[in-house]
Amino acid sequence: MKVKHLLMGAMAAMAAALPAAAQRIPVGHLMDNSGATSDVGVPYGQGVADALQWVNRTRNGINGRQLDVSGFDYGYAAPRAVSQYQAWTGRQRVVAIQGWGTADTEALVRFVTRDRIPYISGSYAATLTDAAGRSGRQGVEAAPFNFFYGPSYSDALRAMLQWAAQDWRARGQQGRPKYVHMGANHPYPNSPKEAGETLARELGFDVLPAIQFALTPGDYTAQCLTLRNGGANYAYLGNTAGSNISVLRACQTAGVNVQFMGNVWGMDENAMKAAGTAANGVIFPVRTGAVWGQDVPGMRAVREISRISDAAGTAYRPVHYLAGICSAMLMVEAMETAGANGGQVAAERIREGFYARQNWVPRGFEGVCNPSSFAPDDHRGTLRVGIYRAVVNGNTSAGSVAELVQAGTIKVEPVTVVELERRRDWLGW
């Protein structure tokens, strides 16, 4: 009799647990914590992970349902990303994915379109913005389920080139400035290459042959000598910060006098510390309206989120961590819209949630997350590009990033904001 009661009790407990488990919302989170872009992948991925855990703890998930987040470090290997996607859509039936790199995101476009799963990437390749496939550009296919937070790589470069043209005139320089694209022969740094070179010519630049360097750190003295011998005035660094640091150091040693312009992953506070004065003056885009610690309303929520993985609250969070939070919160609010009024938090409804708001800033993140607006045929969430300058005015070898920022040794300094025109011919390019 006692055994019977125990069995019945166990079965009742299991039955009670099943609905709770079924109510959890499965989400995939693809990360690069160990591959070629892990220098920036780690803080971005941590921002995403912390934000989603914070939503579970403080907001009781999505309309009372907890997020069941499955994280996977794919080491920046596209085949592993595709394999993991198949696992997520097979066994777990995720309803949305926070993704990462360009090669893997582009490889998955047809999969997520077929399966109708919103994919919010850390890749800002312009090809992902042509939601309806109307650009007519060769190699660009419709990407109706792909989203990202911030300007595309191409639009960010266009904004920096417009700044560069004005900078050239403001400094009273004569003749045509020379521009060069630098980076690995890889989908990520190549993504904005043609768009940048085309606009550079339109703006009156002489465009020099591109200079290649690997995504990993190395000795890039030869590339710096090519840069110097070509007489470049403005150079775009298309790789992540890790290998860009090597270029900056080598070029400083070689006495190269050029204005470097980093892509959105090409510079941050950690890179400024690592590169030292070689990073001083580098121009780069920042996706958020504030950097760590600035006095804006949304920084309170950001600091709460940071304590998820830093209970002491002492860590300094670089620009990529904040961008990861904004990316995650866009997905969260699209989910909330999908589930409003008893609706189902299903993939297609989540996608529709991205179109429910214009000039969309996640609630509680005012001043941190810049406004986003998505349309069914145009996933350029913003054409606003905040341009910043890396300022390094002393020895960065002693002290943490937080201490160096506090002392004023390193600083992320705002330069200007460029509002690009929503040109139809720039969609998907």
Side-chain angles (χ1 to χ4, degrees), residues 43-231:
Y44 178 86
Q46 191 67 64
V48 171
D50 287 353
L52 297 180
Q53 191 171 345
W54 176 81
V55 167
N56 276 343
R57 288 188 185 181
T58 67
R59 295 188 177 180
N60 195 22
I62 307 298
N63 304 334
R65 297 176 60 190
Q66 292 281 293
L67 294 168
D68 183 10
V69 182
S70 173
F72 181 76
D73 173 19
Y74 77 115
Y76 207 60
R80 293 188 67 197
V82 173
S83 177
Q84 182 60 30
Y85 173 84
Q86 291 169 338
W88 277 334
T89 54
R91 296 190 305 271
Q92 294 172 270
R93 301 302 301 171
V94 296
V95 297
I97 297 172
Q98 286 280 329
W100 181 239
T102 297
D104 38 281
T105 300
E106 290 184 332
L108 286 168
V109 166
R110 291 186 180 181
F111 291 87
V112 301
T113 300
R114 178 197 67 193
D115 299 330
R116 309 183 77 77
I117 296 176
Y119 195 95
I120 303 90
S121 66
S123 168
Y124 308 141
T127 54
L128 305 172
T129 65
D130 187 6
R134 295 176 181 170
S135 69
R137 294 194 173 276
Q138 185 175 2
V140 178
E141 55 188 306
F145 284 82
N146 287 87
F147 299 88
F148 55 77
Y149 166 76
S152 72
Y153 296 137
S154 297
D155 286 336
L157 177 51
R158 288 178 176 119
M160 289 192 294
L161 284 167
Q162 290 184 11
W163 169 85
Q166 294 175 355
D167 175 68
W168 182 256
R169 292 191 296 269
R171 292 193 287 113
Q173 299 295 322
Q174 302 298 313
R176 294 167 62 90
K178 295 181 179 180
Y179 166 75
V180 63
H181 177 102
M182 300 180 67
N185 185 18
H186 181 278
Y188 149 54
N190 281 343
S191 174
K193 181 177 178 293
E194 182 187 350
E197 291 178 344
T198 299
L199 183 61
R201 292 187 183 97
E202 291 177 8
L203 292 172
F205 288 82
D206 286 335
V207 176
L208 303 176
I211 299 174
Q212 290 186 12
F213 67 103
L215 278 169
T216 51
D219 180 4
Y220 298 120
T221 302
Q223 285 84 345
C224 291
L225 293 177
T226 300
L227 192 62
R228 186 179 66 187
N229 294 338

